[in-house]
Amino acid sequence: MSDFQVYDNFLEQSYFNEIEKLITMHELPWYTSLGVGNETDYIDNIYYQTHTFFEHYKIYSPQFDKLIPLINKLDVKALVRIRANMYAGRENITVHSYHTDCEYKCKAALLYINDNDGHTEFEKGGKVESKANRLVIFNANERHRSTNCTNAYARFNINFNYF
């Protein structure tokens, strides 16, 4: 069984509302990435959109500062990457390929931004449903996979990789 922790209502509601607005209300430029888990996703025309806040020791987003209270709450010692993900809603659930966020052991935290019927699934067992203001923490080198959703226009989350 996978080793992960789930926290509902992770952020104070007023701060979560600010983060939700940032992610869902057209304040961010989104970039299309072909494939979600691995190269076979390219063949199946699976894609998602991302907004990178931080990666390769560099801040990429002018909105990065809005995440500092969240980073502090996670007790981050060093950042690896922060990226928002948007999976378009479709008629059917598509389960993406298993992947890892990092090849080495560090933490991963997913903050779910909206309620929907998508989820995160772990290869060793366990599934976390997408629920607004829910956070799941796990090892970034643990194989997991995502889905899109069918009951919202998109499934949103923010992925933190850190020490």
Coordinates of all heavy atoms in Angstrom, one line a residue, residues 22-64:
L22 N -6.9 32.6 -8.5 CA -5.7 32.6 -9.2 C -5.6 31.6 -10.3 O -5.3 31.8 -11.5 CB -4.5 32.5 -8.3 CG -3.1 32.4 -9.0 CD1 -2.7 33.7 -9.7 CD2 -2.0 32.0 -8.0
I23 N -5.9 30.3 -9.9 CA -5.8 29.2 -10.8 C -6.9 29.1 -11.8 O -6.7 28.7 -13.0 CB -5.7 27.9 -10.0 CG1 -4.5 27.9 -9.0 CG2 -5.6 26.7 -10.9 CD1 -3.2 28.1 -9.7
T24 N -8.1 29.5 -11.5 CA -9.3 29.2 -12.3 C -9.8 30.4 -13.1 O -10.6 30.2 -14.0 CB -10.4 28.6 -11.5 OG1 -10.9 29.5 -10.6 CG2 -10.0 27.3 -10.9
M25 N -9.4 31.6 -12.7 CA -10.1 32.8 -13.3 C -9.2 33.5 -14.3 O -9.2 34.8 -14.4 CB -10.5 33.7 -12.2 CG -11.5 33.1 -11.2 SD -13.0 32.5 -12.0 CE -13.8 34.0 -12.4
H26 N -8.5 32.8 -15.1 CA -7.8 33.4 -16.3 C -6.7 34.4 -15.9 O -6.4 35.3 -16.7 CB -8.8 34.0 -17.3 CG -9.9 33.2 -17.6 ND1 -9.8 32.0 -18.3 CD2 -11.2 33.3 -17.2 CE1 -11.0 31.5 -18.4 NE2 -11.9 32.2 -17.8
E27 N -6.1 34.2 -14.7 CA -5.0 35.1 -14.3 C -3.6 34.5 -14.7 O -2.6 35.1 -14.6 CB -5.0 35.4 -12.8 CG -6.2 36.2 -12.4 CD -6.2 36.5 -10.9 OE1 -5.1 36.7 -10.4 OE2 -7.3 36.6 -10.4
L28 N -3.6 33.3 -15.2 CA -2.4 32.6 -15.5 C -2.3 32.2 -17.0 O -3.3 31.8 -17.5 CB -2.3 31.3 -14.7 CG -2.2 31.3 -13.2 CD1 -2.1 29.9 -12.6 CD2 -0.9 32.1 -12.8
P29 N -1.2 32.3 -17.6 CA -1.0 31.8 -18.9 C -0.8 30.2 -18.8 O 0.0 29.8 -17.9 CB 0.3 32.4 -19.4 CG 1.0 32.9 -18.2 CD 0.0 33.1 -17.1
W30 N -1.5 29.5 -19.6 CA -1.4 28.0 -19.6 C -0.7 27.5 -20.8 O -0.8 28.1 -21.9 CB -2.8 27.4 -19.5 CG -3.5 27.6 -18.2 CD1 -4.3 28.7 -17.9 CD2 -3.3 26.9 -17.0 NE1 -4.8 28.6 -16.6 CE2 -4.2 27.5 -16.0 CE3 -2.6 25.8 -16.6 CZ2 -4.3 27.0 -14.7 CZ3 -2.7 25.3 -15.3 CH2 -3.6 25.9 -14.4
Y31 N 0.1 26.5 -20.6 CA 0.9 25.9 -21.7 C 0.6 24.5 -21.9 O 0.5 23.7 -20.9 CB 2.4 26.1 -21.4 CG 2.8 27.5 -21.2 CD1 2.8 28.1 -20.0 CD2 3.1 28.3 -22.3 CE1 3.1 29.5 -19.8 CE2 3.4 29.7 -22.2 CZ 3.4 30.2 -20.9 OH 3.7 31.6 -20.8
T32 N 0.3 24.1 -23.1 CA -0.1 22.7 -23.4 C 1.1 21.7 -23.4 O 2.2 22.0 -24.0 CB -0.8 22.7 -24.8 OG1 -1.9 23.5 -24.7 CG2 -1.2 21.2 -25.1
S33 N 0.9 20.6 -22.7 CA 1.9 19.6 -22.7 C 1.3 18.3 -23.3 O 0.3 17.9 -22.8 CB 2.4 19.3 -21.3 OG 3.0 20.4 -20.7
L34 N 1.9 17.8 -24.3 CA 1.4 16.5 -24.9 C 1.9 15.4 -24.0 O 3.0 15.3 -23.6 CB 2.0 16.3 -26.3 CG 1.5 17.4 -27.3 CD1 2.2 17.1 -28.7 CD2 0.0 17.3 -27.5
G35 N 0.9 14.5 -23.7 CA 1.2 13.3 -22.9 C 1.2 13.8 -21.4 O 1.5 14.9 -21.1
V36 N 0.8 12.9 -20.5 CA 0.7 13.2 -19.1 C 1.7 12.3 -18.4 O 2.5 12.7 -17.6 CB -0.7 13.0 -18.5 CG1 -0.7 13.2 -17.1 CG2 -1.7 13.9 -19.3
G37 N 1.6 11.0 -18.6 CA 2.5 10.0 -17.9 C 3.8 9.6 -18.7 O 4.8 9.6 -18.1
N38 N 3.6 9.3 -19.9 CA 4.7 8.8 -20.7 C 4.5 9.0 -22.2 O 3.4 9.4 -22.6 CB 5.2 7.4 -20.3 CG 4.1 6.4 -20.7 OD1 3.4 6.5 -21.7 ND2 3.9 5.4 -19.8
E39 N 5.4 8.5 -23.0 CA 5.3 8.7 -24.4 C 4.1 8.1 -25.1 O 3.6 8.5 -26.1 CB 6.6 8.3 -25.1 CG 7.0 6.9 -25.0 CD 7.7 6.6 -23.7 OE1 8.1 7.5 -23.0 OE2 8.0 5.4 -23.4
T40 N 3.5 7.0 -24.5 CA 2.4 6.4 -25.1 C 1.2 7.3 -25.1 O 0.2 7.2 -25.9 CB 2.0 5.0 -24.5 OG1 1.7 5.2 -23.1 CG2 3.2 4.0 -24.6
D41 N 1.1 8.2 -24.1 CA 0.0 9.2 -24.1 C 0.0 10.0 -25.3 O -1.0 10.5 -25.7 CB 0.1 10.1 -22.8 CG -0.2 9.3 -21.5 OD1 -0.8 8.2 -21.6 OD2 0.1 9.9 -20.5
Y42 N 1.2 10.3 -25.9 CA 1.2 11.1 -27.1 C 0.4 10.5 -28.2 O -0.3 11.1 -29.0 CB 2.6 11.3 -27.6 CG 3.6 12.0 -26.6 CD1 4.8 11.4 -26.4 CD2 3.2 13.1 -25.9 CE1 5.7 12.0 -25.5 CE2 4.1 13.7 -25.0 CZ 5.3 13.1 -24.8 OH 6.2 13.7 -23.9
I43 N 0.5 9.2 -28.3 CA -0.2 8.4 -29.4 C -1.7 8.5 -29.2 O -2.4 8.7 -30.2 CB 0.2 6.9 -29.4 CG1 1.7 6.8 -29.7 CG2 -0.6 6.1 -30.3 CD1 2.4 5.5 -29.3
D44 N -2.1 8.5 -28.0 CA -3.6 8.6 -27.7 C -4.1 10.0 -27.6 O -5.3 10.2 -27.2 CB -3.9 7.9 -26.3 CG -3.5 6.4 -26.4 OD1 -3.6 5.8 -27.5 OD2 -3.1 5.8 -25.3
N45 N -3.3 11.0 -28.0 CA -3.8 12.4 -28.0 C -4.2 12.9 -26.7 O -5.2 13.6 -26.5 CB -4.9 12.6 -29.1 CG -5.1 14.0 -29.4 OD1 -4.2 14.8 -29.3 ND2 -6.3 14.4 -29.8
I46 N -3.5 12.5 -25.6 CA -3.8 12.9 -24.3 C -2.9 14.1 -24.0 O -1.7 14.1 -24.3 CB -3.5 11.8 -23.3 CG1 -4.5 10.6 -23.5 CG2 -3.7 12.3 -21.8 CD1 -4.2 9.4 -22.7
Y47 N -3.5 15.1 -23.5 CA -2.7 16.3 -23.1 C -3.2 17.0 -21.9 O -4.3 16.6 -21.4 CB -2.8 17.3 -24.3 CG -4.1 17.9 -24.5 CD1 -4.5 19.1 -23.8 CD2 -5.1 17.3 -25.2 CE1 -5.8 19.7 -24.0 CE2 -6.4 17.8 -25.4 CZ -6.7 19.0 -24.7 OH -8.0 19.5 -24.8
Y48 N -2.5 17.9 -21.3 CA -2.9 18.7 -20.2 C -2.2 20.1 -20.4 O -1.4 20.2 -21.2 CB -2.7 18.1 -18.9 CG -1.3 17.9 -18.4 CD1 -0.9 18.3 -17.2 CD2 -0.3 17.3 -19.2 CE1 0.4 18.2 -16.7 CE2 0.9 17.1 -18.8 CZ 1.3 17.5 -17.5 OH 2.6 17.4 -17.1
Q49 N -2.6 21.0 -19.5 CA -2.0 22.3 -19.6 C -1.4 22.6 -18.2 O -1.9 22.1 -17.2 CB -3.0 23.4 -20.0 CG -3.5 23.2 -21.4 CD -4.4 24.3 -21.9 OE1 -5.5 24.5 -21.4 NE2 -3.9 25.0 -22.9
T50 N -0.3 23.3 -18.3 CA 0.5 23.6 -17.1 C 0.9 25.1 -17.0 O 0.9 25.8 -18.0 CB 1.8 22.8 -17.0 OG1 2.6 23.2 -18.1 CG2 1.5 21.3 -17.1
H51 N 1.1 25.5 -15.7 CA 1.7 26.8 -15.5 C 2.8 26.6 -14.5 O 2.5 26.1 -13.3 CB 0.7 27.8 -14.9 CG 1.3 29.1 -14.6 ND1 1.4 30.1 -15.6 CD2 1.8 29.6 -13.5 CE1 2.0 31.2 -15.0 NE2 2.2 30.9 -13.7
T52 N 4.0 26.8 -14.8 CA 5.1 26.6 -13.9 C 5.4 27.8 -13.1 O 5.7 28.9 -13.7 CB 6.4 26.2 -14.7 OG1 6.1 25.0 -15.4 CG2 7.6 25.9 -13.8
F53 N 5.4 27.7 -11.8 CA 5.7 28.8 -10.9 C 7.2 28.8 -10.5 O 7.8 29.8 -10.4 CB 4.9 28.6 -9.6 CG 3.4 28.9 -9.7 CD1 2.6 27.8 -9.9 CD2 2.9 30.2 -9.5 CE1 1.2 28.1 -10.0 CE2 1.6 30.4 -9.7 CZ 0.7 29.4 -9.9
F54 N 7.8 27.6 -10.4 CA 9.2 27.5 -10.0 C 9.7 26.2 -10.5 O 9.1 25.1 -10.4 CB 9.2 27.5 -8.4 CG 10.6 27.4 -7.9 CD1 11.3 28.6 -7.6 CD2 11.3 26.2 -7.7 CE1 12.6 28.5 -7.1 CE2 12.6 26.1 -7.2 CZ 13.2 27.3 -6.9
E55 N 11.0 26.2 -11.0 CA 11.6 25.0 -11.5 C 13.1 25.4 -11.8 O 13.4 26.5 -12.2 CB 11.0 24.4 -12.7 CG 11.5 23.1 -13.1 CD 10.6 22.4 -14.2 OE1 10.1 23.2 -15.1 OE2 10.5 21.2 -14.2
H56 N 14.0 24.4 -11.7 CA 15.4 24.6 -12.0 C 16.0 25.9 -11.2 O 16.7 26.7 -11.8 CB 15.6 24.8 -13.5 CG 15.1 23.7 -14.3 ND1 15.6 22.4 -14.1 CD2 14.2 23.6 -15.2 CE1 15.0 21.6 -15.0 NE2 14.1 22.3 -15.6
Y57 N 15.6 26.0 -9.9 CA 16.2 27.0 -9.1 C 15.7 28.4 -9.5 O 16.4 29.4 -9.1 CB 17.7 27.0 -9.0 CG 18.3 25.6 -8.7 CD1 18.8 24.8 -9.8 CD2 18.2 25.0 -7.5 CE1 19.3 23.6 -9.6 CE2 18.7 23.7 -7.2 CZ 19.2 23.0 -8.3 OH 19.7 21.7 -8.1
K58 N 14.6 28.5 -10.2 CA 14.2 29.8 -10.7 C 12.7 30.0 -10.6 O 12.0 29.1 -10.9 CB 14.7 29.9 -12.2 CG 14.4 31.2 -12.8 CD 14.8 31.2 -14.3 CE 14.4 32.5 -14.9 NZ 14.7 32.5 -16.4
I59 N 12.3 31.2 -10.3 CA 10.9 31.6 -10.3 C 10.5 31.9 -11.7 O 11.2 32.7 -12.4 CB 10.7 32.8 -9.3 CG1 10.9 32.4 -7.9 CG2 9.2 33.3 -9.5 CD1 10.9 33.6 -6.9
Y60 N 9.5 31.3 -12.2 CA 9.0 31.5 -13.6 C 7.8 32.3 -13.7 O 7.4 32.7 -14.8 CB 8.8 30.1 -14.3 CG 10.1 29.5 -14.8 CD1 10.8 28.6 -13.9 CD2 10.6 29.8 -16.0 CE1 11.9 28.0 -14.3 CE2 11.8 29.2 -16.4 CZ 12.5 28.3 -15.6 OH 13.6 27.7 -16.0
S61 N 7.0 32.4 -12.6 CA 5.7 33.1 -12.6 C 5.7 34.3 -11.8 O 6.2 34.3 -10.6 CB 4.7 32.1 -12.1 OG 3.4 32.8 -12.0
P62 N 5.2 35.4 -12.3 CA 5.1 36.6 -11.5 C 4.0 36.4 -10.3 O 4.0 37.2 -9.4 CB 4.6 37.7 -12.5 CG 4.0 37.0 -13.6 CD 4.7 35.7 -13.7
Q63 N 3.3 35.4 -10.4 CA 2.3 35.0 -9.3 C 2.9 34.2 -8.2 O 2.2 33.8 -7.3 CB 1.1 34.3 -10.0 CG 0.4 35.1 -11.1 CD -0.2 36.3 -10.6 OE1 -0.5 36.6 -9.5 NE2 -0.6 37.2 -11.6
F64 N 4.2 33.9 -8.3 CA 4.8 33.0 -7.3 C 4.6 33.5 -5.9 O 4.3 32.7 -5.0 CB 6.3 32.9 -7.6 CG 7.1 32.1 -6.6 CD1 7.2 30.8 -6.6 CD2 7.7 32.8 -5.5 CE1 7.9 30.0 -5.7 CE2 8.4 32.1 -4.6 CZ 8.5 30.7 -4.6

